[in-house]
Amino acid sequence: QVQLVESGGGLVQAGGSLRLSCAASGIIFSLNVMDWYRQAPGKQRELVAVITGGGSANYADFVKGRFTISRDYGKKTVYLQMNSLKPEDTAVYYCHTRGVTNYWGQGTQVTVSS
């Protein structure tokens, strides 16, 4: 059974930082591509960052230079370090991976106040 459990969201002022965590189980962690998505109210879910099994990362243009995705193979955890947060980063952030189907975490709320 695949489980993705996010944590680390919260309320922060603009310019601040947060680190999100996603603990994975039920997958061969070292092989899976892991993603972070986000969904703001009234908007479609959008891809934020991707990290391959080998650790190569790619980012959406709107977070490049501010967010960093990483993974800890021993802890089977993916992180999203978010710096220089803006009010437009306010959203529910979801961890995601693919197997026989798409797997999503429950989401964690990030709210950035101006």
Side-chain angles (χ1 to χ4, degrees):
Q1 180 182 358
V2 177
Q3 282 194 314
L4 302 174
V5 180
E6 300 105 333
S7 60
L11 174 63
V12 64
Q13 289 189 329
S17 298
L18 283 174
R19 189 178 80 156
L20 306 184
S21 299
C22 170
S25 60
I27 60 172
I28 303 175
F29 184 76
S30 61
L31 297 181
N32 277 56
V33 174
M34 304 293 297
D35 315 317
W36 284 98
Y37 283 75
R38 72 184 186 186
Q39 188 166 19
K43 295 189 176 181
Q44 288 191 331
R45 194 169 294 190
E46 58 186 359
L47 180 63
V48 176
V50 180
I51 188 165
T52 67
S56 297
N58 280 291
Y59 301 92
D61 286 344
F62 52 80
V63 303
K64 279 182 181 176
R66 299 189 299 124
F67 290 12
T68 302
I69 189 171
S70 62
R71 61 196 300 163
D72 184 320
Y73 296 92
K75 294 182 179 179
K76 296 185 179 181
T77 298
V78 178
Y79 303 99
L80 186 67
Q81 177 67 44
M82 305 185 296
N83 299 327
S84 303
L85 283 160
K86 305 175 181 179
E88 51 263 45
D89 294 319
T90 295
V92 178
Y93 284 72
Y94 296 91
C95 184
H96 168 265
T97 192
R98 295 168 193 82
V100 294
T101 185
N102 286 303
Y103 299 104
W104 297 93
Q106 81 284 0
T108 185
Q109 177 70 48
V110 171
T111 303
V112 184
S113 63
S114 57

